[in-house]
Amino acid sequence: MNPHFGPVALEKAYRLINHGPTVLVSARRDGVDDVMAAAWACGLDFSPPKLTIVLDKATKTRALIEASGRFAIQIPTAAQVELTRHVGTRSLHDEPDKLTRAGVSLFAVDRFDLPLVAGCSAWLACRLIPEPHNQSTYDLFIGEVEAAWADDRAFRDGHWQFEAAGPEWRSLHHIAGGHFYAIGEALDAPS
Amino acid sequence: MNPHFGPVALEKAYRLINHGPTVLVSARRDGVDDVMAAAWACGLDFSPPKLTIVLDKATKTRALIEASGRFAIQIPTAAQVELTRHVGTRSLHDEPDKLTRAGVSLFAVDRFDLPLVAGCSAWLACRLIPEPHNQSTYDLFIGEVEAAWADDRAFRDGHWQFEAAGPEWRSLHHIAGGHFYAIGEALDAPS
């Protein structure tokens, strides 16, 4: 186990996605694991923390989530830009060894039957809040965050550490066609 | 009129928010204009482009949107971090001259009865798609983007120009309590 892996208080979990990073979505059902990339993930509430995620009907990950009612959201790092691109453009439907080819290594946490992607900076374990109209009409899914964790080299004491961590820890923000920006410099605006 | 202001093709409009910036939301009703900041704005569809935005019940902007069925999303720049913080923490309910105090200058575009914030890098004119259950249960609003524009110093030919533009053009990504990150360096992952 990565010694830098540790829990994030639920009331701070929204901070893991508040800056709009591209995320990896993972799910498991009947021994099948999948991971996909998604730029359309977003905070929805603070307490209990909720989030939205848009999942195309063509993805295997969506089918696993609909069947299991669970998913994980994780924040990939600049060091994982090729992995992120790979899982975001190939489908488990067409490439059964997609995760191996993408270089994805999975791990699990006690009490959570979810495939978590090693090397990310943060992870959120979510329970699907079923909203059939949103899911069928808009491909829009709502999750309640039940637990969160981070690598303390990237997020510690409730704060991202981008200023001090190496550039390989920066979050990824996809525009289109494999063109990303890493998160940049801190700017503060006291009220 | 700012000579750098020009239209963005609707099929490229999703790229204006795909990297997860904190946005400004504005709306108008019966001669009342309001502008607020929101970190929870997200793409929802490509064509026609749609987006989601989370609007707290306490905000005046939400009331204007519910009454008018229209709103604008705009992308503030690093140069506007204090403006963004101000409109994100003060309410028109309590501070009637909020926009003046925040340094907000508004302009309009023909055929769109919407208050647009000068100095931003991009603007999206949206029509509310009424979804009463989402709005009342989750504070979640869905908009269809009917037109989009950008300042060509920041976004041109369908692409953000962060690499070449000055640092004052970088988008803002809020974490919490007035602590933002600007968007950073480009990273490409060809498929």
Side-chain angles (χ1 to χ4, degrees), chain A residues 18 40 131 138 179-180 182 184 188, chain B residues 18 40 131 138 179 182 184 188:
Chain A
N18 216 62
W40 294 348
E131 288 285 359
Y138 300 112
H179 185 58
F180 295 83
D188 288 283
Chain B
N18 216 62
W40 294 350
E131 288 285 359
Y138 299 111
H179 184 58
D188 288 285

Side-chain angles (χ1 to χ4, degrees), chain A:
Chain A
M1 172 61 87
N2 169 5
H4 296 280
F5 180 89
V8 172
L10 272 184
E11 67 267 24
K12 301 287 175 67
Y14 75 93
R15 298 183 181 188
L16 300 173
I17 58 166
N18 216 62
H19 60 306
T22 293
V23 305
L24 302 180
V25 190
S26 60
R28 168 176 295 166
R29 176 68 170 188
D30 293 339
V32 177
D33 293 333
D34 198 10
V35 180
M36 62 177 275
W40 294 348
C42 192
L44 179 66
D45 207 347
F46 294 104
S47 180
K50 296 190 191 77
L51 53 79
T52 56
I53 178 89
V54 179
L55 301 167
D56 192 88
K57 292 179 179 68
T59 66
K60 179 68 175 177
T61 305
R62 172 175 170 153
L64 299 175
I65 293 170
E66 290 178 320
S68 69
R70 304 270 162 183
F71 59 101
I73 297 289
Q74 43 244 304
I75 317 300
T77 69
Q80 294 174 308
V81 64
E82 292 185 13
L83 180 159
T84 301
R85 174 73 166 151
H86 191 115
V87 301
T89 53
R90 311 295 177 84
S91 173
L92 202 65
H93 290 306
D94 309 319
E95 192 178 273
D97 59 347
K98 165 187 166 180
L99 298 188
T100 304
R101 283 177 181 247
V104 169
S105 174
L106 298 172
F107 70 102
V109 174
D110 276 354
R111 299 187 301 114
F112 292 90
D113 188 24
L114 283 170
L116 303 181
V117 179
C120 288
S121 57
W123 301 261
L124 302 101
C126 300
R127 175 181 69 82
L128 178 66
I129 299 177
E131 288 285 359
H133 170 68
N134 285 336
Q135 294 168 209
S136 63
T137 306
Y138 300 112
D139 296 337
L140 178 67
F141 290 71
I142 295 177
E144 179 181 330
V145 181
E146 297 190 310
W149 305 273
D151 187 303
D152 68 11
R153 292 168 291 185
F155 186 94
R156 190 169 59 245
D157 301 330
H159 298 281
W160 284 105
Q161 305 293 322
F162 295 130
E163 298 90 325
E168 70 276 17
W169 286 103
R170 301 258 167 170
S171 55
L172 295 169
H173 300 253
H174 190 237
I175 303 293
H179 185 58
F180 295 83
Y181 289 94
I183 199 67
E185 299 311 302
L187 287 175
D188 288 283
S191 59

